[in-house]
Amino acid sequence: MIVPRPTRLIRRHGRFALDRDTAIRATPGAQGAARLLRALLRPATGLPLPLHEDGRVVLALDDRLVGLGDEGYALTVNEHAVVLRAATRHGLAHGVQTIRQLVSPTAMGSRPVSGVDWGLPGVDVRDAPRLPWRGVLLDVARHFQPVAVLRRFVDLMAVHKLNVLHLHLTDDQGWRMPVPRHPRLTSVGGWRAESMGDGVPHGGSYTRAELAALVSYADERGVRIVPEIEMPGHARAALAAYPHLGNFPRRRLPVWTRWGVSDEVFGVDDAVLEFCRDVLDEVIDVFPGRHVHLGGDECPTSEWESSPGAFRRVREEGLAGPRELHGWFLRAMADHVAGRGRVPVSWEPIGDPRVVVMPWRDAADARTALDLGHDVVMAPHRSTYLDYPQSADPDEPAGQPGLVVTARDVYHLPLPEGVLGAQCALWTEYVPTAHHLERLAYPRLAALADALWAQRPSWTDFTERMRAHTGRLSALSVPLSRKEDDARSPVPPC
């Protein structure tokens, strides 16, 4: 009853007992997975699980393991041993999560559980994901969350073998990414006076050390981080810190205190482009992953249409008009990111096929992007935006008005042939706390994980497996609605 569903799981006779004499043997390169397994099982079981050359729980990197890709693993359990093999560290990390689920739902908890004979059932598992991009966007710009919350969010992603945390670091309402050459981005841009008239200041930012440690923490669990710096719109926090970056440099603006989209956008002179390159260079230094997200959505052009500097740039670049500055700006930044050996990402096509596109307005936009030669990650808001409530129940937390997105909607998100995968998005205008964050995320992220990992996704099968998995989520202290806590109704109604 594993979530997400393994490619192949065959039950065998016998059971492997876990006790105080159980030890782990890790081959070269597998020590990190051994540490992870010990750290995940010890809180509830109390078992020390030391490393020993004669350990009967064997974790091994095996480059001869074929057909399972970069994230697959093979697991064999019988009464004599547990053997987990994978070609990569991330494959081992995913296999560790399967071992954890096989032990018991109570083994997922953070407090000691007494009176339990811990063990694993006999199984033979060969497992690999159907799609390589299985992600979640977390918006820390609208409501800042400390690193401890991000680590827990990564832990819950890893349970479900989700492998991409898309971190939305900047927006009109806040700037969270430290850039040493531009310290006012966080000291000024990281704070707003209030939110929608509530009179309560809000803000915060990360240090470089915190982000670098988060990258390592996530990597150990098979999760990579894709940072996003919004441009050329959604820039009000940056303009509050450095007014000269705007289209009207003498204007002074506070960090925006409203939700929605501010009309103020970056200017288009050389100093602005140099600033954006500085920021991206810092991002690339802190986040070693392949992808860097440039934003690019919801960019009003009204300021460019009244800016002498914008019209001057239009003439210099031979553009048809100010509206074309949007694509021109993003292509310039994509060039810079690609020149640093990374892959740029944007919400919409910008005229550069090197850019990975995330269609969010309409699922049909994916076909256009694919035809233009883009790699595509699906993010259609009607089936992946988790700021929408997941039911119409009276106890449902406040969310973005206009839609209800159920777990079934997420499970059946459109996945055209040829896409890299998909991701959900947790925008946080209506999500001020970590409790609220997790309440909106689950069980919908479990549905996403199963739909993207399983070779033959089945909603009916998923709901059956969720009967056991709801117990795991409860042991992990994930806040669930009353319906979800009832094992007879493991997912919200459709």
Side-chain angles (χ1 to χ4, degrees):
M1 304 299 283
I2 304 300
V3 175
R5 182 182 182 178
T7 305
R8 187 189 75 182
L9 188 154
I10 301 173
R11 292 296 299 267
R12 302 296 189 189
H13 293 295
R15 178 177 180 273
F16 182 84
L18 290 167
D19 56 33
R20 300 196 68 81
D21 294 326
T22 303
I24 300 173
R25 175 159 65 93
T27 68
Q31 293 88 347
R35 288 192 299 270
L36 180 62
L37 180 61
R38 184 190 303 117
L40 292 176
L41 290 183
R42 182 181 289 176
T45 68
L47 300 177
L49 300 174
L51 287 173
H52 194 279
E53 61 183 12
D54 294 326
R56 292 195 296 146
V57 177
V58 181
L59 308 183
L61 280 178
D62 186 353
D63 56 11
R64 297 168 299 176
L65 197 63
V66 297
L68 296 180
D70 292 336
E71 295 187 272
Y73 63 93
L75 173 65
T76 301
V77 180
N78 57 38
E79 63 269 28
H80 305 295
V82 175
V83 180
L84 172 64
R85 297 179 298 138
T88 69
R89 294 182 300 106
H90 287 177
L92 287 177
H94 295 324
V96 164
Q97 297 295 342
T98 294
I99 291 174
R100 189 184 184 195
Q101 290 195 32
L102 285 169
V103 173
S104 165
T106 56
M108 310 290 281
S110 60
R111 297 177 181 176
V113 179
S114 59
V116 176
D117 290 328
W118 303 106
L120 287 82
V123 293
D124 183 8
V125 180
R126 283 182 67 86
D127 199 10
R130 181 165 61 102
L131 293 168
W133 191 299
R134 308 176 307 282
V136 191
L137 176 147
L138 182 56
D139 168 19
V140 294
R142 272 51 172 265
H143 275 106
F144 176 75
Q145 297 292 348
V147 167
V149 173
L150 302 189
R151 288 190 175 213
R152 167 145 167 107
F153 199 79
V154 166
D155 285 335
L156 293 175
M157 289 178 62
V159 169
H160 298 88
K161 302 181 177 73
L162 294 166
N163 68 341
V164 178
L165 175 58
H166 174 174
L167 209 52
H168 186 80
L169 289 162
T170 72
D171 217 295
D172 292 317
Q173 297 85 2
W175 186 288
R176 314 301 177 203
M177 175 73 202
V179 183
R181 292 186 62 182
H182 306 283
R184 287 174 59 86
L185 286 172
T186 49
S187 65
V188 175
W191 294 87
R192 62 176 181 266
E194 61 179 12
S195 306
M196 297 295 290
D198 65 2
V200 180
H202 179 82
S205 60
Y206 304 108
T207 67
R208 181 185 175 112
E210 285 177 326
L211 293 174
L214 179 66
V215 168
S216 296
Y217 186 88
D219 181 65
E220 290 172 356
R221 287 152 179 78
V223 177
R224 64 182 186 271
I225 298 180
V226 174
E228 180 183 3
I229 305 295
E230 274 277 10
M231 58 182 74
H234 289 278
R236 177 75 173 258
L239 300 181
Y242 294 105
H244 72 278
L245 299 174
N247 291 283
F248 306 102
R250 295 184 180 180
R251 180 181 56 189
R252 298 295 182 267
L253 298 166
V255 176
W256 213 32
T257 60
R258 313 294 295 177
W259 305 143
V261 181
S262 170
D263 287 335
E264 289 78 26
V265 302
F266 280 129
V268 291
D269 62 28
D270 290 343
V272 176
L273 299 182
E274 189 59 32
F275 163 82
C276 289
R277 293 186 185 106
D278 282 348
V279 171
L280 291 172
D281 284 343
E282 182 67 13
V283 167
I284 287 168
D285 287 346
V286 172
F287 296 95
R290 291 184 62 219
H291 296 90
V292 175
H293 205 300
L294 303 173
D297 63 323
E298 297 176 322
C299 179
T301 60
S302 56
E303 285 202 337
W304 292 336
E305 290 163 3
S306 60
S307 164
F311 275 98
R312 185 165 53 251
R313 179 65 78 178
V314 166
R315 291 193 300 271
E316 290 171 354
E317 300 296 331
L319 303 175
R323 291 181 180 273
E324 289 198 6
L325 288 169
H326 176 256
W328 168 83
F329 193 111
L330 289 168
R331 287 191 295 275
M333 294 304 107
D335 275 340
H336 184 72
V337 169
R340 290 290 310 269
R342 304 298 176 84
V343 179
V345 186
S346 71
W347 290 108
E348 297 165 355
I350 63 170
D352 184 340
R354 296 174 298 180
V355 175
V356 176
V357 173
M358 292 183 168
W360 66 276
R361 297 180 188 272
D362 194 300
D365 294 338
R367 187 70 264 162
T368 300
L370 288 166
D371 290 344
L372 290 171
H374 293 279
D375 283 335
V376 169
V377 174
M378 297 299 290
H381 71 98
R382 291 180 181 86
S383 52
T384 66
Y385 275 24
L386 306 187
D387 50 325
Y388 291 121
Q390 55 189 324
S391 80
D393 292 342
D395 68 338
E396 182 71 17
Q400 190 79 248
L403 282 177
V404 169
V405 174
T406 68
R408 183 177 183 131
D409 293 327
V410 174
Y411 202 91
H412 293 101
L413 84 157
L415 290 170
E417 186 70 26
V419 301
L420 293 178
Q423 64 180 44
C424 284
L426 245 173
W427 304 104
T428 59
E429 291 95 331
Y430 300 90
V431 190
T433 67
H435 181 276
H436 194 168
L437 198 72
E438 292 182 13
R439 174 70 176 77
L440 288 174
Y442 292 95
R444 290 185 289 186
L445 286 184
L448 178 78
D450 204 72
L452 300 179
W453 181 284
Q455 299 298 321
R456 291 181 296 277
S458 164
W459 169 253
T460 301
D461 179 65
F462 170 69
T463 58
E464 287 298 317
R465 282 179 287 116
M466 281 299 293
R467 297 183 189 279
H469 196 65
T470 299
R472 298 183 188 116
L473 294 177
S474 295
L476 288 162
S477 300
V478 175
L480 301 171
S481 73
R482 287 191 297 270
K483 282 187 173 60
E484 292 150 9
D485 274 326
D486 183 347
R488 292 169 298 177
S489 292
V491 292
C494 305

